[in-house]
Amino acid sequence: MKKKEILIKLVPLICTLLLAGSAGAQEPNPCKTGGQTCYFGVEMNDVLYGYSVETYCNGILNGKQVRYEYSDVVIKMSLLGADMDAGFKCKYTIDPVTRRALQIEMDVINGESVVTTITTITGDTARFSSPTSGVNKTILVDSDVIFA
């Protein structure tokens, strides 16, 4: 009987936690529902190997106007006779006034493995982190450094 009472109390708690966790989840592409979209082919030696979808839009981050640039690059290739997909997913958050990057999130995709990096730029400081590898670094950068 006690197990049932505990289970009855835990179910609403678990449901609340799951709903709260999914409420904060964001789509990786902030421009998915608007903005400008451009399509490009990826070629090497006049052979089409993949494609790129670039989207651009304006948004608000922490109460400030920002410009988002999102790239999804897919490269189709063959490695030792086996098909393999590779590519990149990049999201740039840019200050529209200074045109400087505020944050760069990048996923490098190689087959089934994905390496994620996040660089946040504040003033003269860039903070690099990789949740995949656990690496965290902070470096000072001059104002003439361009992040691309």
Side-chain angles (χ1 to χ4, degrees), residues 58-119:
N58 296 318
I60 296 179
L61 178 67
N62 299 328
K64 293 182 178 181
Q65 287 281 340
V66 294
R67 173 124 175 115
Y68 290 111
E69 297 182 7
Y70 185 82
S71 301
D72 188 357
V73 180
V74 177
I75 301 169
K76 305 280 188 179
M77 59 185 158
S78 177
L79 181 64
L80 299 174
D83 291 337
M84 188 172 101
D85 291 350
F88 306 91
K89 291 184 187 294
C90 306
K91 181 176 81 171
Y92 296 89
T93 305
I94 299 169
D95 182 330
V97 175
T98 65
R99 295 184 159 184
R100 289 186 53 115
L102 301 171
Q103 187 172 58
I104 302 167
E105 298 176 38
M106 184 176 296
D107 290 336
V108 179
I109 304 157
N110 190 5
E112 295 296 319
S113 65
V114 178
V115 175
T116 300
T117 63
I118 302 167
T119 304

